[in-house]
Amino acid sequence: MTVTTENSIRALLSNTEEVILGELSLIKHSLEKLFESDEARIPKEESFNYLLKIVEVSERIRAAKYPRQKSDIYYSEYRPFFSGIKAKYSDSLARDTFKEIEAHEKYMDGFRELIIALGIMLAAFEEEIDRVHQYGTLYTGMVGLSELLEEYLLYFPQDLIEYLKNITLAFLNDSSLKPDKANQNESVFSYLVGLKNTARAVLWQIEENRIRSEKARLIDSHSNQIFTREMQIQKNKPAMDWLKSELEQIEIIRKAKGWKL
């Protein structure tokens, strides 16, 4: 297996801190908007304490050594904290108020599953002798990737999707992972066939997501055009009403004067 593929996986895993801190920063920004809204009516001191908690969690994540530790801090310290905010203000705030923050949380749920799937794949690169175990581990990791994409692909940013696409393509194009029934034992051959088929399924999932996203953008764009036209019609309505009135007055005068047009 290529060193490039291994390094790509390691690079993504080493980016865990940046991803978590980036999402916490966006969540903090969303909470700031929420706290400042007239709808919330949350005391300033209480709002400050909530935001300070996110800063404290961020610093603890920064200090943690391993990706899994950073993820565990996020889930053990931030998630219960935000659940408490939602429970406390569920009666006074509309359900849609928290949607933006919940989308960030969905991304983090997917990223956590991704860390696990890629960690399984990475373990396979350290297996040098037992090919059955090595390819079985790779296959397990690829299945994990496919399963998590079913639920979380919608929440992943485009740069991460491209990253996963390239890693998957690397597995498909790796000549050392080519199934060869004549020269491989049954277990090795079976795992490699499963790995290749699952990798193709991952690429299909990514492509389907791209197509759905493009269709959604086209629909939104068309809806926005209709909305813009309707807004322009409404905006011009007073002028059109005035013009219609003027034309009616001119028509009355024309008939009275006997003018011919």
Side-chain angles (χ1 to χ4, degrees), residues 149-160:
L149 290 181
E150 288 181 9
E151 185 171 357
Y152 300 110
L153 183 55
L154 178 66
Y155 301 97
F156 283 179
Q158 190 57 40
D159 57 344
L160 178 58

Side-chain angles (χ1 to χ4, degrees), residues 77-118:
E77 297 193 26
Y78 162 73
R79 279 298 177 84
F81 150 75
F82 183 64
S83 295
I85 294 179
K86 287 196 291 186
K88 185 172 184 178
Y89 295 103
S90 60
D91 293 335
S92 57
L93 293 176
R95 181 67 182 80
D96 290 348
T97 303
F98 297 108
K99 276 191 174 180
E100 182 177 314
I101 298 173
E102 289 168 349
H104 292 302
E105 292 188 335
K106 275 290 189 180
Y107 170 35
M108 285 307 306
D109 289 343
F111 192 77
R112 186 188 204 186
E113 295 298 317
L114 181 60
I115 290 173
I116 295 171
L118 293 182

